[in-house]
Amino acid sequence: MTGQEKDWHMTTEQLTPISKQLIIWNQHPSGGYTACPLFANYAYSWLRDGSFIANAMDVSGEPESAADFYNWVNSIILRMKTRIELLLERFERGDSIEQHEFLHTRYQLDGRDDHNAEWGHFQLDGYGTWLWGLVEHYRIAGQTAMPETFADSVDLVVRYLCALWKQPNFDCWEERGDQLHPSTLACIYGGLEAIGRFNGRTDLLEICEQIKQFIVEHMVHPERGYVVKSIRPTYSGNEYEIGYGGVDASTLWLCEPFQVFAADHPVMAATISKIEADLKTTDGGIRRYSEDEYYGGGAWILLTAWYGWVSLASGKRLEAEQALQWIVKQADSLGRLPEQTAHAETDSDVYQGWLSRWGTPATPLLWSHAMFLVLNFQLAK
């Protein structure tokens, strides 16, 4: 059932406390957030999703929840200190490292590694996002330094990202592990830039400039000027070619919150226009990318929230308000937001195939609720 068919209507004021409560209810005592409590394949905590969820709790007046998550990740990284050091030594020597040997992107709620071989575990975006979120957590609290308990874990993650940022890894959708992705580089940039400014690390700011220049030189469509979905190294390993020449809505992260480019930068403006042209549905939702087959290529709540956030940064308040209204309409009678919703362009045969395989789309998705809270917060500022 789509939002237009409902005979009831959730309001923003009703959905806000529901969203916060759903996140709190589904935070494990360890601090990890269950991605979706009613969807078996999402019964884990992703560092990327979790960091954005924690940030949503910070801006919503629930800093204790955010602190528990950041402490949970801290304990995981410290537990893996020897493993990280060995990985960095091997990488520095030029040893061959299989993708499954790198740090994972999601963990069991008690902090153990997830060893499900079907998932693309090697992702760097979650570690960059964790650094960014950690700095935001203390910045929002008005603190100018983070506790010493984070010194070792921050150092380990910073070194890990500085060494590996050009290494092909899976994108935020667990796809295309042989390629490089602008949304991943945006997360790494955001994390290193946040630590660089918070801790006075000019060396990290210099690496951020290298990342930005890399995006401009290799990830911008040569004719149309927007940021492409992905690139891959050529056989020589010294050059790059386009992996997927279309646009992915996760490139909105280049603008907000990581601010690699301002909304009016020519590259970002062209990217936003391309997303609007190719990925915005007739009813106002935002899809991941044009050839998306997951549940038939539905419109994602969290990406629609990001579009609203970036629209607000572009001075388009009406578009941001419309995005928020669209999100609220997707809530069910209990106020639960799904991961994605079907729309007029959804491939019905592919959608039915996913229904048969995994059931209905993940609901409630904590990341969806988090980005609703963030967009609502941004509009209220």
Side-chain angles (χ1 to χ4, degrees), residues 51-366:
S51 297
F52 286 126
I53 294 167
N55 178 250
M57 298 306 274
D58 266 330
V59 302
S60 299
E62 301 287 346
E64 296 84 2
S65 173
D68 287 345
F69 173 78
Y70 294 122
N71 286 324
W72 177 72
V73 179
N74 183 47
S75 67
I76 291 173
I77 294 168
L78 292 178
R79 189 193 75 221
M80 297 190 297
K81 181 176 181 177
T82 300
R83 177 179 169 186
I84 296 171
E85 296 283 9
L86 289 173
L87 278 169
L88 291 173
E89 289 174 12
R90 292 174 62 193
F91 187 79
E92 181 67 23
R93 289 197 304 265
D95 293 352
S96 176
I97 305 174
E98 298 294 326
Q99 284 196 325
H100 71 270
E101 297 182 81
F102 290 103
L103 302 185
H104 288 185
T105 187
R106 70 178 196 173
Y107 294 88
Q108 303 277 358
L109 294 171
D110 61 6
R112 290 175 297 148
D113 272 9
D114 166 44
H115 296 292
N116 187 332
E118 292 184 9
W119 293 86
H121 283 300
F122 178 35
Q123 297 173 44
L124 294 171
D125 52 9
Y127 295 91
T129 307
W130 179 73
L131 291 177
W132 167 82
L134 185 62
V135 170
E136 282 295 290
H137 176 68
Y138 288 106
R139 187 190 64 78
I140 291 169
Q143 299 184 33
T144 57
M146 63 181 67
E148 279 296 313
T149 51
F150 285 95
D152 284 349
S153 61
V154 167
D155 177 67
L156 286 165
V157 172
V158 164
R159 290 164 53 208
Y160 185 74
L161 294 176
C162 287
L164 299 176
W165 69 267
K166 282 188 182 180
Q167 191 76 2
N169 65 108
F170 290 93
D171 67 8
C172 58
W173 315 127
E174 270 89 36
E175 299 173 348
R176 300 174 185 268
D178 62 334
Q179 300 178 28
L180 291 160
H181 316 279
S183 59
T184 297
L185 292 183
C187 295
I188 296 171
Y189 177 102
L192 295 180
E193 198 269 349
I195 293 295
R197 295 196 181 280
F198 201 69
N199 290 349
R201 293 278 304 274
T202 57
D203 58 321
L204 299 185
L205 301 181
E206 291 171 1
I207 291 178
C208 288
E209 284 302 311
Q210 294 175 27
I211 294 172
K212 182 174 182 177
Q213 190 61 30
F214 181 88
I215 294 170
V216 171
E217 290 180 1
H218 300 290
M219 293 183 157
V220 176
H221 194 286
E223 298 170 1
R224 301 183 182 179
Y226 64 85
V227 178
V228 300
K229 175 175 170 58
S230 64
I231 62 171
R232 66 166 65 91
T234 60
Y235 181 75
S236 67
N238 296 319
E239 299 293 335
Y240 299 88
E241 61 186 13
I242 291 177
Y244 182 100
V247 71
D248 189 304
S250 64
T251 53
L252 292 168
W253 303 352
L254 290 164
C255 179
E256 294 292 350
F258 302 124
Q259 300 181 0
V260 181
F261 303 111
D264 59 357
H265 187 285
V267 165
M268 197 69 234
T271 303
I272 296 168
S273 294
K274 182 69 170 173
I275 289 170
E276 290 174 332
D278 291 4
L279 304 179
K280 191 173 184 180
T281 65
T282 53
D283 67 347
I286 301 294
R287 303 171 62 201
R288 298 196 300 177
Y289 55 94
S290 293
E291 297 178 14
D292 184 13
E293 293 190 349
Y294 186 48
Y295 281 98
W300 284 54
I301 278 72
L302 65 95
L303 292 175
T304 306
W306 244 294
Y307 172 71
W309 191 359
V310 171
S311 295
L312 195 61
S314 305
K316 301 177 182 177
R317 185 175 182 87
L318 177 60
E319 284 84 346
E321 291 173 342
Q322 290 174 339
L324 186 71
Q325 292 166 6
W326 180 90
I327 291 168
V328 172
K329 287 181 181 178
Q330 311 314 312
D332 65 15
S333 59
L334 298 177
R336 300 176 304 181
L337 290 171
E339 180 177 61
Q340 60 172 293
T341 61
H343 52 88
E345 296 83 14
T346 298
D347 187 320
S348 59
D349 290 339
V350 175
Y351 181 77
Q352 289 299 323
W354 279 101
L355 286 181
S356 299
R357 180 182 177 186
W358 278 7
T360 55
T363 306
L365 190 79
L366 265 61

